[in-house]
Amino acid sequence: MKAVNMEDRLREFKESQKNRGRLLISCPDRPGIVAAVSKFLFQFGANILESNQYSTNPQGGTFFIRLEFECPDLAAKEAILKKRFEEVAKSFSMDWQMTAVQNVKRTAIFVSKELHCLRELLWEWQTGDLMTDIVMVVSNHEEARETVESFHIPFHYIPANREIREEAEAKQKQLLKEYDVDLIVLARYMQILTPSFVEAYERKIINIHHSFLPAFVGAKPYERAFQRGVKLIGATSHYVTNDLDEGPIIEQDTMRVDHKDQVQDLKKIGAKIERSVLTRAVKWHLADRIIVHENKTIIF
Amino acid sequence: MKAVNMEDRLREFKESQKNRGRLLISCPDRPGIVAAVSKFLFQFGANILESNQYSTNPQGGTFFIRLEFECPDLAAKEAILKKRFEEVAKSFSMDWQMTAVQNVKRTAIFVSKELHCLRELLWEWQTGDLMTDIVMVVSNHEEARETVESFHIPFHYIPANREIREEAEAKQKQLLKEYDVDLIVLARYMQILTPSFVEAYERKIINIHHSFLPAFVGAKPYERAFQRGVKLIGATSHYVTNDLDEGPIIEQDTMRVDHKDQVQDLKKIGAKIERSVLTRAVKWHLADRIIVHENKTIIF
Amino acid sequence: MKAVNMEDRLREFKESQKNRGRLLISCPDRPGIVAAVSKFLFQFGANILESNQYSTNPQGGTFFIRLEFECPDLAAKEAILKKRFEEVAKSFSMDWQMTAVQNVKRTAIFVSKELHCLRELLWEWQTGDLMTDIVMVVSNHEEARETVESFHIPFHYIPANREIREEAEAKQKQLLKEYDVDLIVLARYMQILTPSFVEAYERKIINIHHSFLPAFVGAKPYERAFQRGVKLIGATSHYVTNDLDEGPIIEQDTMRVDHKDQVQDLKKIGAKIERSVLTRAVKWHLADRIIVHENKTIIF
Amino acid sequence: MKAVNMEDRLREFKESQKNRGRLLISCPDRPGIVAAVSKFLFQFGANILESNQYSTNPQGGTFFIRLEFECPDLAAKEAILKKRFEEVAKSFSMDWQMTAVQNVKRTAIFVSKELHCLRELLWEWQTGDLMTDIVMVVSNHEEARETVESFHIPFHYIPANREIREEAEAKQKQLLKEYDVDLIVLARYMQILTPSFVEAYERKIINIHHSFLPAFVGAKPYERAFQRGVKLIGATSHYVTNDLDEGPIIEQDTMRVDHKDQVQDLKKIGAKIERSVLTRAVKWHLADRIIVHENKTIIF
């Protein structure tokens, strides 16, 4: 694969986005929220470029808003903006998060032997469609090394299985700290994470898994889907919580199959859906488009 | 709704299809099946118009074929064709079924209070896109009567619930016999059928139900799908067996939803998928396009 | 078709939406627009329920916003709200439109002989999914009369063709005035409208027509699409302007076809796409979700 | 990109498919064709694995069939099979083509500066989903060299433009002959081919181009699609004939866009559709699934 100068691209992106900010808010709904927030941004000379909102119920529900804005000299003003916004936030009991777009998120990808999701992420990253710093790839196998290193990304082989889970996670945590990672993408990483690991990275771990109608819970799902003659197979991407595969869903999709498709074909089609569903989920997270509320996501 | 002369349409259809036949075969795979069958049809002057086949495995698997053919004077020759085909069938251990297209199937629709699937079937039937004789509609409620009777189709109200299930089914069976019914479509009929009823109409009862990824088995599925924030909802149409909702799947589909969709919206979208999925499944059955093998369908 | 009491439904809808308003704005982009508008609404005690915005370019482009709000006593305050908003509008050079949701739009449907689009609109209207008053149907043929009258909607037969176009339009305009029509839906109305008619109902006439890749401009498009073996056929719904079929596109869709589909099949599939595309376009218009800018639409 | 041993894979494929053959036939429709062909194959001990047929009209139309079969010792029997089939073919006035699956087609890819289609083809080829020998890539630019050579595929830079078209094509033809090429894929090769070149490779050149509803013929199509506010953009893959972009369509697809998508976004989405549409078209050609009839394709 042709070497692309990713550092140049990142530098260009940061320069072009240096005044761009994003604000994500959840709070009890009541009149005046939008007025207060937009007045606040206006006072700092910020122009709102994109705004999306949703309320579970105008009477007593929860209100969500995402704003993307352009603010002259954002880098210089960021600290003061955040400090001053505290007051607005307090008066409306807001959960909020303000990010400067140029502070590109730092991503670690965890993978086992199947590389289709990893490859899609690397491909999209290389063509500039996945705006993040992929700072490392961690794997409990060696299969991905050559591909990863051809992209000049550090590859860390850390053996992992049920017996050495905590030892493996200790090494992983050490690396995550060293690389100052913001987001962990489980791109077909076939190991269960411990509760303490998951808690340490709450809403910062995105997973992908196959999905069927009906679900075939347990072993050999593709074999059973084949025996049942399903006409659709799908995939679900979600934030990882300590309820196995029960975290907030970010994205789902399905594709048609028919009786001619053998187990092997179903798996190939499944891989195709997984890679596109995971990539969309990761893009939305990187663009700060997701708010988690209870066990569901609001995608703006 | 404008009265359409359905009898004229049926007569026209029968006339235009009077020499059209269909042959569905399942048998152990081995060389020579297609040669034998096509030679047989050729000897009767039949021209094969459409042919589809599938084999689970050329070495020792099961072979399936569907042929649609035009045979001069089919009505006169039908009996002899079937009798003679017995020999071919025996030598290849075939399960087979030969139908004259002009013998349009006679359909009964069972419905409860929700009418969206019933309406779609009636609509498609009226516009000539569902080639069947809808000989009656049976319901355990009165909601559908006015709609059904406006199409000049007999409507039979038969109360049904857990307590009077056998009594209700006795009446239903009586009607099914009187009307000489070939196919029962459960268009949101919210009653469970007894094993003896299901056995009496094996592979002749088509059902529709909602489907999600993951499945939300049990009560209030839409409410739980909403709480989980699913991004897709779907529907599955299948043949009814005595394994509840576990019969061979005929068709499935999904549609996208998002966080703005309330439970009520999910149900509306669900209804839209249900009506189109059920209608496709019924059309394929009516066109003799489905072979059931073990617990799955081959759709040609 | 079962008679549904549409008047009761309308009354219920109006009651439930009596405090609901919508505001659509286009203006030169500059900081402070959202702040000013949301402050304005807040001063009247209005709670913003939904907000969507788009800017062609934050530096010197055009800004668009759609707000849906709940304002206590809206009916009583509507006049004063509009009057006061004039000032805000003037200071930002806004084009704007404020509507009370309970003032349901009054729709006339024009149709010729093909009824699929008309039927879909009536169906959606009857099930409560198309919130409008269908005040009349106008046709240059009698085919639709029975269907329309079964829904208790006035049907007006007005012969029309190239020779008597102005005479026909004079009658149509008279009726449109009498019925106080807000929206004209051309549901396969096969007559060209004169420039003066179109100008009188600028951005208030929605049309539907078939679309292919590539386009087959001129006569017999389905025949030519068939000969070319297209794999997709589509439909486009747009506002009518005096550039034939060149008005702002509201919605488009396609469906797959294959070599087995004859011209007749292509037309049926085309009809299916047309009815769903037109219905979506009409729904968005009725919900004040469309802003026209130059020759394109912004759909919120 | 990890070096994969493509030669090993090819060898495995050839070994596993060594008895697999395909037969494509077009001829005037009349009874007995299927019987004759299947009897013929049966006599050679061949088992039909897949069979698809289509007739434009059983009375006097054209009949098409594609058969895939397993024939013991195919390599040894191939010549005699073809010779003997001549007689069957003659008696039914057949156009036909028999291929041994293990004779994998040799493909040349032509590309200019945009690499998205080339990359998709290489990706699918590398993962084993595009069963062909990519024997060379030809380009009138140097952009693709590094990518191509990283896959160990010969890259040939041949400058080309209107002035030196014939000179360029002479070099290309020389290479096509040397590499014994069966299929030329124009993967965004932005040069027009001369009539003599096209004729030399009739139905052996596959092209991809953008498509819109309506078409925007001429310069800057994406810019004009943007100005018109299209809601769908698409792509068409077709065999190249001397009617520019008017050859038989193999595959088409569309994706949704909206008002937020700038020209640059439309182009990215267009690239995504182009790469998947072209890849599907090439796969069908490689699997001998396409019969061209007049100016359209039958895809089995």
Side-chain angles (χ1 to χ4, degrees):
Chain A
M1 187 59 67
K2 190 181 164 182
V4 172
N5 194 328
M6 296 306 291
E7 284 180 24
D8 283 0
R9 176 175 295 154
L10 209 52
R11 200 173 307 120
E12 261 173 56
F13 176 79
K14 288 180 175 189
E15 178 59 26
S16 75
Q17 304 291 313
K18 68 174 189 236
N19 291 328
R20 184 72 65 107
R22 295 176 190 139
L23 185 52
L24 288 182
I25 298 168
S26 317
C27 65
D29 200 357
R30 63 177 168 101
I33 305 168
V34 179
V37 174
S38 49
K39 188 179 152 202
F40 173 86
L41 288 172
F42 180 58
Q43 286 167 343
F44 282 85
N47 190 16
I48 298 173
L49 302 177
E50 196 183 325
S51 158
N52 291 285
Q53 61 178 65
Y54 170 67
S55 172
T56 58
N57 184 347
Q59 270 76 43
T62 306
F63 175 85
F64 308 92
I65 190 166
R66 176 190 186 273
L67 294 147
E68 192 152 336
F69 57 87
E70 189 86 13
C71 179
D73 297 317
L74 180 60
K77 291 182 192 165
E78 196 182 346
I80 186 77
L81 259 172
K82 284 182 175 171
K83 196 167 145 49
R84 290 273 184 82
F85 192 69
E86 270 301 356
E87 289 159 48
V88 180
K90 195 177 282 177
S91 67
F92 287 93
S93 311
M94 290 172 175
D95 273 340
W96 64 284
Q97 168 195 333
M98 192 186 292
T99 52
V101 173
Q102 69 157 328
N103 296 337
V104 167
K105 289 186 178 51
R106 300 170 64 80
T107 299
I109 302 175
F110 282 36
V111 67
S112 291
K113 287 178 166 187
E114 287 183 82
L115 306 187
H116 54 276
C117 287
L118 170 70
R119 277 191 178 128
E120 183 78 8
L121 291 167
L122 293 176
W123 175 291
E124 291 282 307
W125 172 74
Q126 195 193 37
T127 58
D129 291 328
L130 195 77
M131 199 36 76
T132 185
D133 232 341
I134 301 183
V135 291
M136 69 164 164
V137 173
V138 167
S139 182
N140 55 334
H141 293 278
E142 284 284 1
E143 269 77 359
R145 180 184 293 277
E146 203 167 335
T147 297
V148 171
E149 293 184 343
S150 79
F151 283 91
H152 310 291
I153 295 170
F155 176 85
H156 294 278
Y157 168 60
I158 302 178
N161 59 51
R162 197 178 301 187
E163 280 69 42
I164 56 169
R165 186 154 295 157
E166 304 211 346
E167 190 185 326
E169 288 192 355
K171 285 182 198 159
Q172 291 165 354
K173 279 182 177 171
Q174 176 62 26
L175 285 170
L176 292 166
K177 215 172 151 187
E178 270 174 36
Y179 283 104
D180 191 17
V181 165
D182 300 304
L183 173 68
I184 301 168
V185 181
L186 304 184
R188 304 291 294 158
Y189 180 66
M190 308 309 282
Q191 295 292 315
I192 290 172
L193 304 172
T194 65
S196 82
F197 190 99
V198 171
E199 275 155 32
Y201 289 90
E202 204 195 347
R203 292 180 194 174
K204 292 186 172 173
I205 313 177
I206 295 178
N207 189 31
I208 180 75
H209 68 79
H210 52 72
S211 295
F212 304 91
L213 309 89
F216 296 96
V217 180
K220 297 199 170 267
Y222 281 102
E223 280 74 2
R224 288 153 64 214
F226 172 75
Q227 280 154 22
R228 184 74 201 285
V230 297
K231 305 301 182 193
L232 290 179
I233 61 175
T236 296
S237 183
H238 62 97
Y239 285 112
V240 175
T241 62
N242 280 316
D243 256 337
L244 184 62
D245 290 343
E246 294 286 323
I249 293 169
I250 306 172
E251 174 62 332
Q252 305 187 294
D253 212 349
T254 55
M255 286 182 82
R256 296 192 77 80
V257 296
D258 70 26
H259 61 266
K260 289 189 295 292
D261 293 303
Q262 301 301 305
V263 173
Q264 206 48 40
D265 302 315
L266 298 187
K267 286 181 179 173
K268 271 192 184 179
I269 294 166
K272 199 167 277 192
I273 311 172
E274 284 176 3
R275 59 187 236 211
S276 67
V277 166
L278 177 62
T279 303
R280 285 204 293 278
V282 170
K283 280 185 188 178
W284 294 339
H285 179 94
L286 293 174
D288 301 307
R289 296 201 165 276
I290 312 177
I291 297 180
V292 175
H293 174 61
E294 290 166 2
N295 200 33
K296 62 195 292 183
T297 60
I298 319 293
I299 314 275
F300 283 130
Chain B
M1 188 57 70
K2 191 179 164 183
V4 171
N5 194 328
M6 297 305 291
E7 286 180 22
D8 283 1
R9 176 175 294 154
L10 209 52
R11 202 174 306 122
E12 262 173 56
F13 176 79
K14 288 180 174 188
E15 178 59 27
S16 75
Q17 304 290 314
K18 69 176 190 238
N19 291 328
R20 184 72 66 107
R22 295 177 189 139
L23 186 52
L24 287 183
I25 298 167
S26 317
C27 65
D29 200 357
R30 63 180 169 99
I33 304 169
V34 178
V37 175
S38 51
K39 186 179 156 203
F40 173 86
L41 288 172
F42 180 57
Q43 285 168 344
F44 282 84
N47 190 15
I48 297 172
L49 302 178
E50 196 184 322
S51 160
N52 290 285
Q53 61 177 63
Y54 169 68
S55 173
T56 58
N57 183 347
Q59 269 78 42
T62 307
F63 175 83
F64 308 92
I65 190 166
R66 178 190 184 273
L67 295 146
E68 191 151 336
F69 57 88
E70 190 85 15
C71 178
D73 298 316
L74 180 60
K77 291 180 191 165
E78 194 182 346
I80 187 78
L81 258 172
K82 284 181 174 173
K83 198 169 143 50
R84 291 275 183 80
F85 192 70
E86 271 300 356
E87 289 160 46
V88 180
K90 195 176 282 177
S91 68
F92 287 93
S93 310
M94 290 173 176
D95 274 339
W96 64 284
Q97 168 196 332
M98 192 185 292
T99 52
V101 173
Q102 70 158 324
N103 296 337
V104 167
K105 287 184 180 51
R106 300 170 63 79
T107 299
I109 302 175
F110 283 34
V111 69
S112 291
K113 288 176 163 188
E114 288 184 81
L115 307 187
H116 55 276
C117 287
L118 171 70
R119 278 192 178 126
E120 182 79 8
L121 291 167
L122 292 175
W123 175 292
E124 291 281 309
W125 173 73
Q126 196 193 36
T127 57
D129 290 328
L130 195 76
M131 200 34 78
T132 185
D133 232 342
I134 301 183
V135 293
M136 69 163 165
V137 173
V138 168
S139 183
N140 56 334
H141 293 278
E142 284 285 2
E143 269 78 358
R145 181 183 293 277
E146 203 168 334
T147 296
V148 171
E149 293 183 344
S150 78
F151 284 90
H152 311 291
I153 295 169
F155 176 85
H156 295 278
Y157 167 61
I158 302 177
N161 58 52
R162 197 178 299 186
E163 281 69 42
I164 56 170
R165 186 154 294 157
E166 305 211 346
E167 192 186 325
E169 289 191 353
K171 285 182 199 160
Q172 291 166 354
K173 279 182 177 169
Q174 178 61 26
L175 285 170
L176 292 166
K177 214 172 153 188
E178 271 173 37
Y179 283 102
D180 191 17
V181 165
D182 300 306
L183 172 67
I184 300 168
V185 181
L186 305 184
R188 304 291 294 158
Y189 180 65
M190 309 308 284
Q191 296 291 316
I192 290 171
L193 304 172
T194 66
S196 83
F197 189 99
V198 171
E199 275 155 30
Y201 290 91
E202 203 196 349
R203 292 179 193 175
K204 291 184 172 175
I205 313 177
I206 295 178
N207 188 31
I208 180 76
H209 68 80
H210 52 73
S211 296
F212 303 92
L213 312 87
F216 297 95
V217 180
K220 297 200 171 267
Y222 281 101
E223 280 75 1
R224 287 154 64 214
F226 172 75
Q227 280 153 21
R228 184 72 201 285
V230 296
K231 304 302 181 192
L232 291 179
I233 61 174
T236 296
S237 183
H238 62 98
Y239 284 112
V240 175
T241 62
N242 281 316
D243 258 336
L244 184 62
D245 291 342
E246 294 285 324
I249 293 169
I250 306 172
E251 173 62 332
Q252 303 186 295
D253 212 348
T254 56
M255 285 181 81
R256 296 192 78 79
V257 295
D258 69 27
H259 61 266
K260 289 189 296 293
D261 293 303
Q262 301 302 305
V263 173
Q264 206 48 40
D265 302 315
L266 298 187
K267 286 180 179 171
K268 271 192 184 179
I269 294 167
K272 199 166 276 192
I273 311 172
E274 284 176 4
R275 60 189 235 209
S276 68
V277 166
L278 177 62
T279 303
R280 286 205 292 277
V282 171
K283 279 184 187 177
W284 294 339
H285 179 94
L286 293 173
D288 302 308
R289 297 201 165 277
I290 311 176
I291 298 180
V292 175
H293 174 61
E294 291 165 1
N295 200 33
K296 62 195 289 185
T297 61
I298 318 295
I299 314 275
F300 283 132
Chain C
M1 188 56 69
K2 191 180 164 184
V4 171
N5 194 329
M6 297 305 290
E7 285 181 22
D8 283 359
R9 175 174 295 156
L10 210 52
R11 201 172 308 122
E12 262 173 56
F13 176 79
K14 288 180 175 189
E15 178 59 26
S16 74
Q17 304 291 313
K18 69 176 189 237
N19 291 329
R20 185 70 68 106
R22 294 176 190 140
L23 185 53
L24 288 182
I25 298 168
S26 318
C27 65
D29 200 357
R30 62 177 170 101
I33 304 169
V34 179
V37 174
S38 49
K39 187 179 155 204
F40 174 85
L41 287 172
F42 179 58
Q43 285 167 344
F44 282 84
N47 190 16
I48 297 173
L49 302 177
E50 196 183 325
S51 159
N52 291 285
Q53 61 177 63
Y54 169 66
S55 173
T56 58
N57 184 344
Q59 270 78 45
T62 306
F63 175 84
F64 308 91
I65 190 166
R66 178 191 184 272
L67 295 146
E68 193 152 335
F69 57 88
E70 190 86 13
C71 178
D73 297 316
L74 180 61
K77 291 181 191 163
E78 194 182 349
I80 186 79
L81 259 171
K82 285 181 174 172
K83 199 167 141 50
R84 291 274 184 81
F85 192 69
E86 272 300 356
E87 289 159 48
V88 179
K90 195 177 281 177
S91 68
F92 287 94
S93 310
M94 291 174 175
D95 274 340
W96 64 284
Q97 169 196 332
M98 191 185 293
T99 52
V101 173
Q102 71 158 324
N103 295 336
V104 167
K105 287 185 179 51
R106 300 171 63 80
T107 300
I109 302 175
F110 282 36
V111 67
S112 290
K113 288 177 164 186
E114 288 184 82
L115 306 188
H116 55 276
C117 287
L118 171 70
R119 279 192 177 127
E120 182 79 7
L121 291 167
L122 292 176
W123 175 290
E124 291 281 306
W125 173 73
Q126 196 193 36
T127 57
D129 291 328
L130 195 76
M131 199 36 75
T132 184
D133 232 340
I134 301 183
V135 293
M136 68 163 166
V137 173
V138 168
S139 182
N140 56 333
H141 293 278
E142 284 284 1
E143 270 76 358
R145 181 184 292 277
E146 204 168 333
T147 297
V148 171
E149 293 183 344
S150 78
F151 284 90
H152 311 290
I153 295 170
F155 175 85
H156 295 279
Y157 168 61
I158 301 178
N161 59 50
R162 194 177 302 186
E163 281 69 40
I164 56 170
R165 186 153 293 158
E166 304 211 346
E167 193 185 325
E169 288 192 354
K171 287 182 197 160
Q172 291 165 354
K173 279 181 177 171
Q174 178 60 28
L175 285 169
L176 291 167
K177 214 173 151 186
E178 271 174 37
Y179 284 103
D180 192 18
V181 164
D182 299 306
L183 172 68
I184 301 168
V185 181
L186 305 183
R188 304 291 293 158
Y189 180 66
M190 309 308 283
Q191 295 292 315
I192 290 171
L193 304 173
T194 65
S196 83
F197 189 99
V198 170
E199 274 155 31
Y201 290 90
E202 203 195 347
R203 292 178 192 174
K204 292 185 172 173
I205 313 177
I206 295 179
N207 189 33
I208 181 76
H209 67 79
H210 52 71
S211 295
F212 303 91
L213 309 90
F216 296 95
V217 180
K220 298 197 170 268
Y222 282 101
E223 281 75 2
R224 286 153 64 214
F226 172 76
Q227 281 154 22
R228 185 72 201 286
V230 296
K231 304 302 180 192
L232 291 179
I233 61 174
T236 296
S237 183
H238 62 98
Y239 285 112
V240 175
T241 62
N242 280 316
D243 257 336
L244 185 61
D245 291 343
E246 295 285 324
I249 293 169
I250 306 172
E251 174 61 332
Q252 304 187 295
D253 211 350
T254 56
M255 287 182 79
R256 297 192 77 80
V257 295
D258 70 26
H259 61 266
K260 290 188 294 294
D261 293 302
Q262 301 302 303
V263 172
Q264 206 49 41
D265 302 315
L266 299 187
K267 286 181 179 172
K268 271 193 184 178
I269 294 166
K272 198 166 277 192
I273 312 172
E274 284 176 3
R275 58 187 236 211
S276 68
V277 166
L278 177 61
T279 303
R280 286 205 292 277
V282 170
K283 280 185 187 175
W284 295 338
H285 180 94
L286 293 173
D288 301 308
R289 296 199 166 278
I290 311 176
I291 298 180
V292 176
H293 174 62
E294 291 166 359
N295 200 34
K296 64 195 290 184
T297 61
I298 318 295
I299 314 276
F300 283 131
Chain D
M1 187 58 68
K2 191 180 163 183
V4 172
N5 194 331
M6 298 305 291
E7 285 181 22
D8 282 0
R9 175 175 293 156
L10 209 53
R11 202 174 306 120
E12 263 173 54
F13 176 81
K14 288 180 175 188
E15 178 59 28
S16 74
Q17 303 291 312
K18 68 175 190 237
N19 291 328
R20 185 71 67 105
R22 295 177 189 138
L23 185 53
L24 287 182
I25 299 167
S26 317
C27 65
D29 200 359
R30 62 178 169 99
I33 304 169
V34 178
V37 174
S38 50
K39 188 179 153 202
F40 173 86
L41 288 172
F42 179 59
Q43 286 168 344
F44 282 84
N47 190 16
I48 298 173
L49 302 177
E50 195 184 325
S51 157
N52 290 284
Q53 61 177 64
Y54 169 67
S55 172
T56 58
N57 184 346
Q59 270 76 44
T62 306
F63 175 84
F64 308 91
I65 190 166
R66 176 189 185 274
L67 295 145
E68 192 152 336
F69 57 88
E70 189 85 13
C71 179
D73 297 317
L74 180 59
K77 290 180 191 166
E78 195 182 345
I80 187 79
L81 259 171
K82 285 182 174 172
K83 197 169 144 52
R84 290 274 184 82
F85 192 71
E86 270 301 355
E87 289 159 47
V88 180
K90 195 178 279 177
S91 69
F92 287 93
S93 310
M94 290 172 175
D95 273 341
W96 64 284
Q97 168 196 334
M98 191 184 292
T99 52
V101 173
Q102 68 158 326
N103 295 337
V104 168
K105 288 184 180 51
R106 300 171 62 81
T107 299
I109 303 175
F110 282 36
V111 67
S112 291
K113 287 178 166 188
E114 288 183 81
L115 306 188
H116 54 276
C117 287
L118 171 70
R119 277 190 179 131
E120 182 79 9
L121 291 166
L122 293 176
W123 175 290
E124 291 281 307
W125 172 74
Q126 196 195 35
T127 58
D129 291 328
L130 195 78
M131 199 34 77
T132 185
D133 232 340
I134 302 184
V135 292
M136 69 163 164
V137 174
V138 167
S139 182
N140 55 333
H141 293 278
E142 285 284 2
E143 269 77 358
R145 180 184 294 276
E146 203 168 334
T147 297
V148 171
E149 294 183 343
S150 78
F151 284 90
H152 310 291
I153 295 170
F155 176 85
H156 294 278
Y157 168 61
I158 302 178
N161 58 50
R162 197 178 301 187
E163 280 69 42
I164 56 169
R165 185 154 294 158
E166 305 212 345
E167 192 186 324
E169 289 191 354
K171 286 182 197 159
Q172 291 165 354
K173 279 181 176 170
Q174 177 62 26
L175 284 170
L176 291 166
K177 214 173 152 187
E178 271 174 36
Y179 284 103
D180 192 17
V181 165
D182 299 305
L183 172 68
I184 300 168
V185 180
L186 305 184
R188 304 292 295 159
Y189 181 65
M190 308 309 283
Q191 295 292 315
I192 290 171
L193 304 172
T194 66
S196 82
F197 189 99
V198 171
E199 274 154 32
Y201 290 91
E202 204 195 348
R203 292 178 193 176
K204 292 185 172 172
I205 312 177
I206 295 179
N207 189 30
I208 180 75
H209 67 78
H210 52 73
S211 295
F212 304 90
L213 310 88
F216 296 95
V217 180
K220 297 199 170 268
Y222 281 101
E223 279 74 1
R224 287 153 65 212
F226 172 75
Q227 281 154 21
R228 185 70 201 287
V230 297
K231 305 303 180 191
L232 291 178
I233 61 174
T236 296
S237 182
H238 62 98
Y239 285 113
V240 175
T241 62
N242 281 316
D243 257 336
L244 183 62
D245 290 341
E246 294 284 323
I249 293 169
I250 305 172
E251 174 62 331
Q252 303 187 295
D253 212 348
T254 56
M255 286 181 81
R256 297 193 77 79
V257 295
D258 70 26
H259 62 265
K260 290 189 294 292
D261 293 304
Q262 301 302 304
V263 172
Q264 206 49 41
D265 302 314
L266 298 187
K267 286 181 179 173
K268 271 192 184 179
I269 294 167
K272 199 167 276 192
I273 312 172
E274 284 175 4
R275 59 187 236 210
S276 67
V277 166
L278 177 62
T279 303
R280 286 205 292 279
V282 170
K283 280 185 186 175
W284 296 338
H285 179 95
L286 293 174
D288 300 308
R289 297 202 165 276
I290 311 177
I291 298 180
V292 175
H293 174 61
E294 291 166 359
N295 200 34
K296 64 195 289 185
T297 60
I298 320 294
I299 313 277
F300 283 131

